Amino acid sequence: MCLGLPMTIVETDGVSALCEYGNERRRVSVLLLSEPPVGAKVLVYIDTAIRLLDDDEARLIADALEGLGAALNGQDYVRFFADLVDRESQLPEHLR
């Protein structure tokens, strides 16, 4: 399974960008985006920035990834999914 990472652009030349997530840095293609600036949050999938993220969405994705890691390590993970706690599950519209 492949996951997209919410990364922050540290430097860019318009074709590729050095991005970071936590203590990981990698060079990714930004050709699918319209010249994202330094500091922009992007969703990176297989070393390609596929879309811009706002700060809230980037934080929710990062929290979910940390929560998955905590669950896999037998640690408390509920706090990482604060946006889902006390919310009734809903099927997507096409499955109703």
Side-chain angles (χ1 to χ4, degrees), residues 47-94:
D47 290 334
T48 301
I50 59 173
R51 71 181 178 94
L52 291 171
L53 299 172
D54 64 36
D55 288 339
D56 290 335
E57 188 175 22
R59 181 188 48 77
L60 288 172
I61 294 169
D63 286 350
L65 292 171
E66 284 190 57
L68 288 173
L72 289 170
N73 290 320
Q75 301 167 340
D76 177 41
Y77 59 88
V78 175
R79 64 187 170 94
F80 294 105
F81 298 98
D83 60 317
L84 300 176
V85 174
D86 297 328
R87 191 176 110 186
E88 191 67 33
S89 299
Q90 296 180 0
L91 287 173
E93 187 65 37
H94 69 280

Side-chain angles (χ1 to χ4, degrees), residues 9-85:
I9 295 177
V10 176
E11 63 183 50
T12 183
D13 59 15
V15 174
S16 67
L18 181 62
C19 296
E20 68 182 2
Y21 173 71
N23 57 5
E24 178 184 350
R25 283 188 167 201
R26 70 171 66 161
R27 185 145 301 270
V28 304
S29 169
V30 291
L31 290 174
L32 295 177
L33 305 177
S34 181
E35 298 187 34
V38 170
K41 305 274 193 289
V42 292
L43 184 62
V44 175
Y45 180 75
I46 310 177
D47 290 334
T48 301
I50 59 173
R51 71 181 178 94
L52 291 171
L53 299 172
D54 64 36
D55 288 339
D56 290 335
E57 188 175 22
R59 181 188 48 77
L60 288 172
I61 294 169
D63 286 350
L65 292 171
E66 284 190 57
L68 288 173
L72 289 170
N73 290 320
Q75 301 167 340
D76 177 41
Y77 59 88
V78 175
R79 64 187 170 94
F80 294 105
F81 298 98
D83 60 317
L84 300 176
V85 174

